[in-house]
Structure formats: C-alpha cells, structure tokens
Amino acid sequence: MAGSDYDDERKRQEDLTDAGQDARRAGKRPFSRRSFLVGGVVLPLLRVQSPKRTQAQPGGAASQTPWFRTTFLWGQTNINEADPPHYDLDWWRKYWKRTGVQGIIVNAGGIVAYYPSADPLHHRARSLGERDLFGEVLKAAREDGLVVLARMDCNRAHEDFYKAHPDWFARTDDGNPVRAADLYVTCIHSPYYDQYIPGLLREIAERYRPEGFADNSWSGLDRGTICRCVNCRTKFRASSGQDLPPRADWDSPVYRQWIAWNYARRTEIWDLYNRVAREAGGRDCLWIGMLADNPAYEGRRFRDVKAICERSEMVLLDHQGRNASEGFENNADAGKRLHGLLGWNKFIPESMAMYVRNPTFRKAANPRAEARLWMLEGIAGGIQTWWHHVGAVQEDKRQFDTASQLTSWAGANRSFLTNRQPVATVGLVWSQANSDFYGRDEAEVLTGLPYRGFVRALVGDRLPYIPVHADHIEREASRLSLLILPCLGAMSDSQIAAIFKFVEKGGSILATGETGIMDEFGRTRAAWPLAELLGVEATAPPSREPRNRTGANHSYFRLLPDLTDPTDPTDPPSRRIGTRHDILRGFERTNILPFGGTLTAVKPRPGSIVPVTYIPDFPIYPPETSWMRESRTERPCVLVRELQSKAKVAYLPADIDRSYASWGLADHAQLLTNAIRWAAGSSIPLRVEGPGVIDCNLYAQGRALILHLVNLTTPGVWPGAVREVVPVGPLTVHVQRPDGWKINRCRSLVRNSRQRVATDADWVTVRLESLGDHDLLVFEA
Ligand SMILES: [Zn+2]
C-alpha cells in the first residue's frame, strides 16, 4: 500500500542524506545552511485552497487529491446504545459547522451495530429498533460536504454470538472463554477476524460508501494473556513447529517466537482489512486501526507502529490527553515521532478528549485551558485536531465551548500546519523493539522514562529535536549533529553500525545506561560493541542491575575536581583549584549533586574523562546517621571524550534521564542539557530568551521558517488540570538564517501582526512582549 508519495518522501530523505554527508566531509556542521537548502529539507509547499472535501470517488479520476490528503479538521460524537432515540442531528450539524470539521467518525458496527445489518449475529444497539442511525448521520454529513469514517469496534461479542461460534473466542489457560464484563473476547487468530469482520466491512462499504473505516480496538488480546484456543494452538504450531509457550518468559525462544507471530498477525489484519475496504469501497477507501502513541503500550498490543506507518496513507491516534505520568510536550513528541515514520506529507488526526481525562469522567467538561494545551501541542507536532465527545447527549455544555476557537484558527492557517519539515540538529533515538525486548515487562521504567526524561530536558531548555527511529539513523544523519541514545538496550547490528558511521563522519552521541548491551531480540551480547566508543573497558556487557522502582535512594554525584572546600564554610575563591569540564557548567558552588537512581557498573578506558563519580547510598533518617559512609569512589557516573573525527561522546552510566523523568530534580535537568549542549556544539538553530517553560518547534516549508511556541509554564507548577494559562514575556527569539535567505518579514499568525525583524550574518531576531498559551511565527524570505 506504500504509494508513490511515500516513495517520493523517502527519495527526498536519501537526497538529504547525500547532501549532509557531503557537507560533513567538507568539514561543515550538519546543519550547514548549505545542506539546509540543498538537502531538500524544504518541501514543496502543497497549498490546499479549498477546505471543502475533494473526495475521490471509488474508481474516480486520478487527478483528484484524495480525502486523506485534504481532510484537516475532525470530530467525533461517540454514541452508545442508549443514544439513538436522543440523537439531535440538527444540533450536531450546527456544531460541525461551528467547529469547522471536514471529517467525522460515526459509529457503524462491530460489537454494536447502528444500522440494520443483514447479519443476524451483528448485535443492534438496544434502542435502535429498525432505524438506520449510521445511515442518517452519514447522509447529513454528505449533505454538509463532510468526509465520513465508519467507526468499528471489533474485539468482543454477546453471548448469542459466543454460542454460535465458540471456536472464535479466546481461551484462558484453563480452557474458559476470556470475558470482559458481560461480553466475550474474540481471538485475533480466529475466523472472526478473517471472515466475519471482512463481511461487515463489505456490507458497510457497499451500502454506504464511507471514505474509510476507523477501528477502535482492532488488535485483539494484549500480551498479558496467552490465548489457548484451537486456532492459536494449531496456527502457532504450523508457523513455528512448537507448542504455545507455557508462560511469559522473555528468555525463552518460543515465547519470543510467539511475540513475533502475534506482531505479524496484527500487520496481516491491517493489510487484509485495507484490501477488503478498497475492494468494496473503492481505491481511496482506507481501513485505519487506532494507534496509541506510547511504544510500551503499542508493544503490549503487538502493534508494529513502524510497519503500519510504512504501509499507510494516514494513521489515527488515540492519545486523548495527558495522563498522570506525562506532560503536554508528549503530544508534540508523538506527532514528530509518528511523522518520522509516516512522512511529513501525511495526516495524523488525533482523538482529543473534550471531557475530563485524568481521572476519566466521560460526561464532565475538561477545563478549556487543559484541553487547549493538549491540542496546541499536538498541532505543534504536526497532528490534526479531532474533538471527541462520548455520548450524543451532554448535560455539561461547557465541553462544547473548547474546540471551535482553536479549530477555526487552525483551519484558517492550515497551509502552515502541514507539509513541512522539522528543523533540528538533535535526534532522540527510539525503537519499539527496545521497548519490547529490553524493556520487557518493565518497559515504562526501563525505556519509557529515559526517553521522556530527555524530552523534558530538551523542551525545558528550548532545544529543537526530532525523534529518530533506530532504523532511520542513517536516513536522518545528515541533518543531525547529535544522536541521543536513551537507554537503548536492545539494538540490531545494523543500528550499531549506523552509530559508528555517524560518529566517523563527525556526529556526536550521548548515550545512557545499558545502551547496546543486547541484540534486537533482547539477548545479551557476548561482547559490548559500543564499549570502546563510549570510553569504557570492553569487558562483557554489564549485567542488568536491579532497579530502584519505588523511589530515590540516598546516593549522590561527586563533581570533579573539588571547587569548594568542605572544611571551610567561607569557601574563599583562592582555594579553588582545577578546571571542570563544560558538562558541569553552573555547578561551581557545589562539589556534589543528588542522584538517587541506578548506576551501570563500568570501568573507564584510558583517555576517558570522568567528571562525575558516585557517592553510595547512606541513611536519611534519623539525621544523626545521615553522613556519607563512602564520600569518594572511583565509580564513573559520567564519561566524556572527543574523537579524531571531532565527534564528541558523552556516556552516562548513571540513569540521570530516568531519574529526571521520575522526580524532576532541577540538577538532573541541568546535567542533561549541559551534556546535550556540549555534545551538539554550536549547531542548535534556535535560541529563545525570556522566562517560562516553552515548547519550541521549528519547521521549514518552502521559503519560510515556522516556529511554534507553546507556553507550558503553568502546568509546570501545579499537579492536576490546568485552569488558567499565565502569559510569559518578554521573549527574544533568535532563529538561524538559512544561507541566501534575506528574511525581512515575520508574522505572528496568532496575533495577526507583523513583528519587527533584526538580522545579522547568521541569525534573525524578533521580540515578543508576551506569550499567551501559544504563538506561531512565520519567517519569510
Ligand atoms: Zn486464540
């Protein structure tokens, strides 16, 4: 299904790689203004003039732009079985108009049918009767010029269905059907998925001709249950020659085969349903299963996000708001990460809750500031908005006050919000295999937190970055001066080779923890291939240390050399001796920093600089006992070195990234950003000065630079939902000027104003007196 657009995108990336390598060979930094222009960072601007749907009918003319390239604003009223008699279609039509949506997701079938299906097992909504609610909504949407995706929810069924096809349902270890409340869970390896659901897709596609399908829970049982049904037993044996694994055991080859077999099945379903949709609904009829964004979550559900994005024209995200462990910045990160897989010319609509998300209250309005910041961060990451209400009837009308202002703004400025390329010189590397096979059942702690710790440090220091899939290191290398490897424990040989190639050409790396100790299947390597590069003795890889999972221990960092005298409280400057490494900038008034995390045990190679060592845990309480038992050790927490290629290497065996995500200590943020800034050198293309926490995302499009500024200052100070955004300012914004660009105009697309511009040889500067919840600056040459 990978179409020509995807191939074009890939070709552009290859061109970019060549240009960047040329630039590097010429001794220039990767984000040279030359490569910026030559490398094809600047995409041809696809201007979509009409917000109206230009739907390509089944078998229609090839010249029409298909709906999935034009439908920018989305909405969904997610109805329930009690809704049909109360669905006020006239009211919702007005709401569609008020929020400017161009596409809607309408409940059609699956667990519950909202149309009179010919299939007697397709359970009709209890209050539907002989009505065709799906058809009525679709007809109204058509009249209003909207795209319609038929929403499916295919994963469980009622008891009558179970009795008709008991072999289609998942089985527990003791042979009982897997239940979810009063429903029965279907097995993804059964004919329910091969025959029954395709039949429904055909019925809906042929009868109603929706533009496509959105499927909610399409990927079957998650990793927590090994289904013992007859289909699983026979198909796994046919595929692997083995019986089903007796239990979850990541060290067992059979269990890993079962994981791979399950992944392959989900991808097979994706392809099958897209084939069916296109056969029955026409060339542009897509079936799109919902994806979440978190690699650990997707891994538990066997959804290979990279494989799915590579074969898709559009993906739909189900990441509706912040959860307790993440910030708004995760939505921008999600957009950038998935565009890195999908291509920046495609759309990623995301379901965004207008109701309270954390904890969930389906019927209560999310505070407007909370919902808006989530939407704004999505937009900053290239995501398309999709308001989501659960239920056709709402008593809390405040939830209808949130979307329209922002969607009107986004609709009016849509040409600046799509078809652009991020401008960044720092790449943050990730992979789902790392989450699965290194993270195993602790992926959130082992791989999720280190990644998010870096995201937060980067955003906190206003450093533009792009997420880079570990398989795409070579593809992205030319635009990057620094790769961050946050506890990337499981890496394939080719990923390791790409790291060496990057470093040979002068690219710098910042790695943490157990990066590279395992292969891509989570098998510990006989030798640690990155040891020498990271500046540690090439002994066997360090063994996986037990994690501190419950909270910080009372360990510290010792900063070398001493700059304060512990015996002299007045600390006269004359006693200061030695010079510290740049990575410790800002810590001149202390010899120690709090740590609290886990240390990977390594021994430095000769030539490695060790600016930080470990002070082991000692009692906190009672205070009489709280003294350092061992105030100095040789155990390295940070190692740095510079290579002949000019590459800089920082290796943090101490899990500062994970610790920062866990506890938010300011010193950990400073250490991480110091390491990033030291390793990235002078390549960072953006400086923003002024108060506050501001997520800065910079893009290039045609002959324009586009800068999103989202003010995250408020959520940084108070747990719970954001009720009010506090403006910050003044801000001075400096953007690196691409060579040959005479930028003399800067517009704010939020204030509708022109900003005064100052330029010098390399930079263009504007001043903002104040930043509300966001701004979008467009610098035009
Ligand atoms: Zn099964």
Side-chain angles (χ1 to χ4, degrees), residues 34-255:
R34 179 178 165 274
S35 70
F36 185 88
L37 280 175
V38 175
V41 170
V42 180
L43 277 176
L45 175 55
L46 181 82
R47 288 208 182 269
V48 181
Q49 299 296 350
S50 167
K52 281 279 179 188
R53 167 169 65 112
T54 53
Q55 186 210 352
Q57 294 297 335
S63 61
Q64 283 184 304
T65 309
W67 63 270
F68 44 79
R69 289 284 191 281
T70 61
T71 311
F72 179 73
L73 297 172
W74 292 81
Q76 179 187 11
T77 312
N78 204 346
I79 57 179
N80 57 57
E81 287 203 67
D83 271 336
H86 312 292
Y87 195 113
D88 184 346
L89 190 49
D90 288 340
W91 188 92
W92 284 103
R93 289 177 84 161
K94 291 187 191 116
Y95 187 61
W96 297 343
K97 194 167 179 191
R98 175 148 63 92
T99 54
V101 294
Q102 297 153 309
I104 58 172
I105 291 89
V106 185
N107 303 61
I111 302 170
V112 175
Y114 291 92
Y115 70 98
S117 174
D119 192 313
L121 286 174
H122 198 186
H123 174 88
R124 285 191 201 179
R126 56 203 291 173
S127 59
L128 188 69
E130 289 306 307
R131 251 183 98 183
D132 181 358
L133 183 58
F134 171 70
E136 291 168 30
V137 178
L138 176 126
K139 180 166 174 287
R142 287 251 187 280
E143 288 169 7
D144 292 350
L146 305 186
V147 163
V148 174
L149 296 187
R151 179 187 183 275
M152 307 296 290
D153 203 340
C154 305
N155 61 82
R156 54 197 73 171
H158 290 78
E159 188 168 14
D160 56 336
F161 198 136
Y162 168 71
K163 285 183 171 159
H165 294 283
D167 287 352
W168 292 6
F169 290 80
R171 301 274 169 182
T172 60
D173 288 345
D174 53 15
N176 290 320
V178 178
R179 305 282 299 267
D182 53 351
L183 299 177
Y184 293 75
V185 177
T186 53
C187 175
I188 197 165
H189 297 279
S190 78
Y192 174 88
Y193 284 81
D194 292 306
Q195 298 169 19
Y196 179 73
I197 296 300
L200 298 188
L201 297 178
R202 283 197 185 90
E203 179 178 72
I204 293 166
E206 286 164 3
R207 196 186 295 180
Y208 298 99
R209 297 276 161 170
E211 275 72 12
F213 293 89
D215 199 325
N216 185 44
S217 301
W218 61 279
S219 54
L221 274 180
D222 71 21
R223 201 168 69 197
T225 305
I226 298 175
C227 175
R228 308 283 171 189
C229 82
V230 63
N231 305 289
C232 285
R233 279 188 276 123
T234 54
K235 287 184 178 176
F236 184 68
R237 172 156 277 289
S239 159
S240 68
Q242 308 278 345
D243 286 334
L244 288 166
R247 65 189 164 280
D249 174 7
W250 289 95
D251 292 322
S252 152
V254 177
Y255 183 69

Side-chain angles (χ1 to χ4, degrees), residues 664-679:
L665 292 181
D667 288 339
H668 291 173
Q670 179 80 45
L671 267 178
L672 293 176
T673 52
N674 280 359
I676 296 166
R677 285 199 179 272
W678 171 74

